[in-house]
Amino acid sequence: MTARKITAPGIPRARPSFYLRYMVEPYVYLSPALVLIALVMLVPLVIGISYAFQSVNLLRPIETGWTGFDNFRTLWSDRKFWLALTNTFWWTAGSITFQFFLGLGLALLLNTSFHGKRLVQALVFLPWAVPTFLSALTWAWLFNPTIGPLPHWLAALGILPEPFNILGDPNLAMWGPITANVWFGIPFFAITLLAALQSIPGELYEAAEIDGASAWQMFTKITLPFLAPMIAITVMLRTIWIANFADLIFVMTGGGPANSTQILSTYIFTTAFRKLDFGYASAIAVALLGLLLVYAAVLLVLRRKLVKI
Amino acid sequence: MARIELQNIAKNYGPVEVMRDINLEIEDGEFIVLVGPSGCGKSTLLRMIAGLEPITEGEFRVDGRRMNEVQPRDRDMAMVFQSYALYPHMDVARNMGFSLEIRKAPSQERADKVRDAAKTLGLTSLTARLPKALSGGQRQRVAMGRAIVRDPSAFLFDEPLSNLDAALRVEMRLEIARLHQRLETTMIYVTHDQVEALTLADRIVVLNAGKIQQVGTPLDLYERPANRFVAQFIGSPTMNILEVEPTDKGVLLKDGTVIGISPGAERPVACDLGVRPEHLNIVPQGSAHFSGKAELVEHLGSDTNIHAHVPSIGQVLVRQHGHFPLKTGDPVHIALELDKVHLFAPDGQRLDTVLGSG
Ligand SMILES: Nc1ncnc2c1ncn2[C@@H]1O[C@H](COP(=O)(O)OP(=O)(O)OP(=O)(O)O)[C@@H](O)[C@H]1O
Ligand SMILES: [Mg+2]
């Protein structure tokens, strides 16, 4: 490298011969971060996806090799996959709907002023701090009629004909993990929506009141538009997270009875670590990834259309 | 249409008392202007009338009906906020038509009213913009528009023109005067601009530190200020206040000049003499009350302001009409227009003693 004249500020450093150098220079500085990201994110992702096009079964180590779209063809005609997909939909939709609306209600309550607000606020966020496995176990017990009160209460309310364990009923079992998940996920929506609510200037409500708006009109015409960006992003993140969230189901029902609570992520888990068929598990995972990408794209487009602020 | 009565209104924020003893009756269709120094409680009073701020004590009535507990939306008042409070997610047209939208007015009527208001306010080309894409003055006009599309029982304006340039302010002032003439609706208007106050008001309310100092027509306040605060607050430039001592014959200025009282008037207890700059005149030495030296002469074209230093009395501001040929350092001889002089008691209240040449 040759010595260069020291340049003063304002005098352009890049002469044409140095052009390439200045193109490359930023990437040199960025390279540690890029390498790190590539190593911890991209490499596992690519390897994982590549498994989907191979036969990787630890029980049949000899038949390893590229198989093209074989795994996906099997997937297409796999009844269990379609069942798990349907279950994933209900699991995600049920959880997110209740989490969102109850979380929103809680945030609206916490946004008013009342006595002992700080204490309530702290308590509300508690479920978030409980380890998932612990809450899954606790909820499993709560649903167990021999030790838990819930079946008796439900029976007393007339929701159940008699106190039995809904986790054992193929038609109702999904409600068990969904209930636990709702309890577990409300604080997330409450926290984020409360933050968004608190950022709405109070004078807008005053102006709306002067303009004659009722409480409901203020909610729909001021609160909701302000919350919309936050709602879009949190609902998207939580949907993806819940669709992948197997812990509760795994501990509470293990996917049963009769696969009635089997969702894609538990199916992936059992395929990979019980049947040791990594190739097929990867194919399911890729299918799930594709669906979630489509969902995220749709939501982002909607957000751009609806959100004005 | 509304007749507004405030009776013994007081306002506390926790232990802090910000307003007390507010008594005011506003006739139907009257144009009331609230003036007072910053922080004296003008916005607070307006917000209490609008219902945004609870009234701590006293009774607030509209057309004889107690309104203290009535919700803002049921009070039927339009308000322009000091901070505008525009809806950031709605364009200008929707901001202005929001009250109509809430009332579910037919969209044709809404569009017409918004268009008229936008035209009046010079916002026609901006109706599709969001507030964030407007200048401060444009936002203020949108806030104004939001009020004037309505036909409320009273308008409350909190410094609605503070952010406009001088020419636009004059134009908008005329629009407001026109609006008042057309609708004959009660208006309560807060401003820091004396010209606005004096030209628009039927009556002006002067507030200081949460108390009403005086209520009266612009001319009342100018000619017969109730106390020293009002005297100094109304009128620009500010009134000169000279310390005096009462004597048997009249009042004694600090430099020994005696100004007599009219024959028959009782002995004043004055301690301050107030005289507006325009009621002081530069005269030949013989007929002057006191003399001094011009320290600064401001030639404004229409007027000349002479800041004079008078030994043992202090600074005195004299205002002469037209161009007055005087330079810094020139000696000046000053005479008071005795019938325009005000006397104030030690507690600041006005005294009705008339000065004369006695
Ligand atoms: N929430 C509050 N808590 C305590 N004091 C308050 C509160 N809001 C206003 N004040 C006080 O009340 C007084 C009156 O305030 P206000 O806003 O009415 O003044 P203003 O006359 O409108 O002044 P400006 O001309 O600057 O707008 C001020 O001294 C202010 O500090
Ligand atoms: Mg104010």
Side-chain angles (χ1 to χ4, degrees):
Chain A
M1 209 179 264
T2 54
R4 288 192 299 120
K5 264 198 301 181
I6 296 166
T7 53
I11 298 173
R13 287 194 297 167
R15 276 178 281 151
S17 55
F18 284 109
Y19 191 68
L20 191 67
R21 199 196 130 116
Y22 291 112
M23 287 279 288
V24 172
E25 193 176 326
Y27 294 98
V28 178
Y29 299 136
L30 282 176
S31 58
L34 291 179
V35 168
L36 209 64
I37 290 174
L39 275 179
V40 302
M41 290 181 61
L42 290 181
V43 170
L45 187 67
V46 169
I47 293 180
I49 293 177
S50 77
Y51 279 177
F53 301 96
Q54 298 176 43
S55 166
V56 192
N57 192 329
L58 296 192
L59 297 179
R60 273 169 276 164
I62 310 138
E63 296 171 27
T64 309
W66 294 94
T67 55
F69 284 91
D70 267 6
N71 282 330
F72 291 96
R73 268 189 284 275
T74 320
L75 196 66
W76 188 257
S77 50
D78 181 358
R79 225 185 47 81
K80 234 173 122 185
F81 167 76
W82 292 107
L83 179 65
L85 187 61
T86 323
N87 285 341
T88 306
F89 174 78
W90 288 116
W91 154 252
T92 311
S95 300
I96 200 93
T97 312
F98 284 106
Q99 280 185 2
F100 171 72
F101 282 106
L102 294 176
L104 177 62
L106 194 57
L108 289 173
L109 276 182
L110 288 177
N111 198 33
T112 59
S113 48
F114 56 86
H115 205 66
K117 177 171 162 177
R118 283 171 182 275
L119 185 71
V120 175
Q121 227 164 7
L123 285 179
V124 157
F125 301 139
L126 213 57
W128 197 240
V130 180
T132 355
F133 276 85
L134 191 58
S135 38
L137 278 176
T138 311
W139 278 99
W141 288 336
L142 285 175
F143 279 115
N144 186 332
T146 39
I147 45 173
L150 284 185
H152 302 282
W153 291 349
L154 290 175
L157 287 173
I159 299 171
L160 290 182
E162 52 178 318
F164 63 89
N165 194 343
I166 60 163
L167 297 180
D169 181 329
N171 292 323
L172 295 174
M174 190 55 107
W175 286 107
I178 286 181
T179 310
N181 195 13
V182 168
W183 176 82
F184 182 71
I186 286 176
F188 174 82
F189 278 105
I191 286 180
T192 50
L193 293 178
L194 182 61
L197 278 176
Q198 281 169 345
S199 73
I200 306 178
E203 59 178 22
L204 297 186
Y205 293 107
E206 293 184 342
E209 254 188 303
I210 296 278
D211 276 342
S214 63
W216 175 249
Q217 282 168 323
M218 283 195 258
F219 178 72
T220 54
K221 287 171 194 283
I222 294 175
T223 310
L224 273 189
F226 265 87
L227 288 186
M230 187 60 107
I231 291 177
I233 206 77
T234 49
V235 166
M236 184 178 88
L237 288 177
R238 286 300 284 180
T239 308
I240 294 172
W241 200 77
I242 290 173
N244 285 313
F245 183 43
D247 307 20
L248 286 175
I249 293 187
F250 205 79
V251 175
M252 290 178 74
T253 64
N259 284 326
S260 63
T261 57
Q262 190 78 276
I263 62 169
L264 283 178
S265 52
T266 52
Y267 190 33
I268 294 167
F269 190 82
T270 36
T271 310
F273 297 106
R274 294 267 160 83
K275 297 189 188 152
L276 299 179
D277 189 345
F278 286 94
Y280 193 55
S282 290
I284 308 172
V286 168
L288 182 58
L289 176 69
L291 286 173
L292 289 177
L293 281 178
V294 170
Y295 169 79
V298 169
L299 212 65
L300 286 177
V301 169
L302 273 183
R303 175 174 190 265
R304 182 120 47 99
K305 281 221 170 124
L306 293 179
V307 175
K308 285 208 193 119
I309 319 164
Chain B
M1 299 287 114
R3 190 185 129 79
I4 295 172
E5 290 162 274
L6 302 167
Q7 196 177 18
N8 294 324
I9 298 283
K11 173 73 192 170
N12 298 358
Y13 285 109
V16 190
E17 183 183 61
V18 293
M19 309 212 76
R20 63 187 174 286
D21 299 339
I22 302 292
N23 284 294
L24 185 63
E25 287 185 13
I26 302 172
E27 292 304 320
D28 184 15
E30 204 174 8
F31 200 123
I32 290 284
V33 172
L34 298 179
V35 296
S38 185
C40 70
K42 304 179 296 292
S43 299
T44 307
L45 186 58
L46 224 52
R47 290 168 55 84
M48 285 195 287
I49 293 175
L52 299 173
E53 208 65 75
I55 298 170
T56 314
E57 248 174 64
E59 195 166 74
F60 164 57
R61 286 188 294 265
V62 175
D63 292 331
R65 196 177 132 225
R66 182 184 160 95
M67 299 288 269
N68 290 43
E69 289 79 23
V70 176
Q71 289 296 310
R73 69 170 155 279
D74 300 321
R75 293 195 185 189
D76 190 25
M77 296 190 180
M79 177 159 175
V80 177
F81 288 78
Q82 188 169 11
S83 54
Y84 319 150
L86 300 181
Y87 309 116
H89 54 294
M90 303 180 193
D91 63 22
V92 168
R94 190 157 170 234
N95 255 291
M96 294 208 283
F98 190 68
S99 57
L100 305 170
E101 177 182 331
I102 290 293
R103 232 147 264 152
K104 304 200 167 60
S107 62
Q108 187 56 44
E109 179 195 334
R110 212 191 302 172
D112 288 346
K113 285 198 169 166
V114 168
R115 186 162 24 75
D116 291 347
K119 198 163 145 242
T120 311
L121 297 164
L123 292 170
T124 309
S125 58
L126 304 175
T127 47
R129 294 229 197 136
L130 288 180
K132 67 178 174 198
L134 298 177
S135 76
Q138 290 165 339
R139 284 179 208 180
Q140 196 162 32
R141 278 179 282 157
V142 177
M144 201 60 200
R146 207 162 54 177
I148 67 173
V149 294
R150 291 178 55 184
D151 187 10
S153 58
F155 284 102
L156 311 173
F157 295 109
D158 199 345
E159 302 186 31
L161 309 181
S162 59
N163 249 325
L164 306 184
D165 65 67
L168 200 53
R169 197 183 283 209
V170 173
E171 199 181 307
M172 288 300 131
R173 197 173 78 209
L174 288 176
E175 286 300 343
I176 292 176
R178 222 170 278 155
L179 183 76
H180 183 237
Q181 267 170 16
R182 182 158 52 87
L183 300 177
E184 293 182 333
T185 307
T186 313
M187 292 191 177
I188 306 180
Y189 189 101
V190 173
T191 182
H192 280 291
D193 184 324
Q194 296 234 351
V195 183
E196 261 169 46
L198 296 170
T199 53
L200 287 174
D202 290 326
R203 282 191 302 159
I204 297 179
V205 177
V206 184
L207 284 166
N208 186 31
K211 283 186 94 167
I212 292 187
Q213 302 295 315
Q214 188 174 5
V215 183
T217 63
L219 213 58
D220 266 351
L221 298 192
Y222 182 80
E223 290 185 341
R224 297 179 52 80
N227 55 39
R228 201 169 53 202
F229 175 82
V230 177
Q232 288 201 284
F233 193 79
I234 300 289
S236 165
T238 324
M239 179 185 277
N240 296 295
I241 298 286
L242 314 178
E243 259 183 71
V244 293
E245 261 173 50
T247 67
D248 281 339
K249 294 212 161 159
V251 294
L252 177 70
L253 286 175
K254 281 268 169 177
D255 67 341
T257 317
V258 174
I259 300 172
I261 50 172
S262 310
E266 60 190 87
R267 182 179 193 267
V269 288
C271 89
D272 282 319
L273 179 152
V275 59
R276 297 192 186 279
E278 51 269 43
H279 299 145
L280 288 174
N281 291 312
I282 307 284
V283 292
Q285 189 161 13
S287 46
H289 285 105
F290 44 77
S291 303
K293 202 166 71 165
E295 282 197 324
L296 177 66
V297 182
E298 297 168 334
H299 297 283
L300 304 177
S302 61
D303 295 290
T304 309
N305 289 342
I306 301 134
H307 298 261
H309 181 79
V310 180
S312 72
I313 288 183
Q315 285 290 336
V316 175
L317 175 58
V318 182
R319 180 175 214 174
Q320 294 291 283
H321 209 64
H323 176 69
F324 203 82
L326 205 64
K327 295 193 307 294
T328 305
D330 285 351
V332 286
H333 309 288
I334 302 168
L336 303 131
E337 291 179 24
L338 288 178
D339 55 334
K340 301 274 173 59
V341 164
H342 312 273
L343 289 178
F344 300 105
D347 63 355
Q349 292 306 308
R350 173 188 186 78
L351 290 170
D352 278 321
T353 310
V354 181
L355 293 180
S357 45

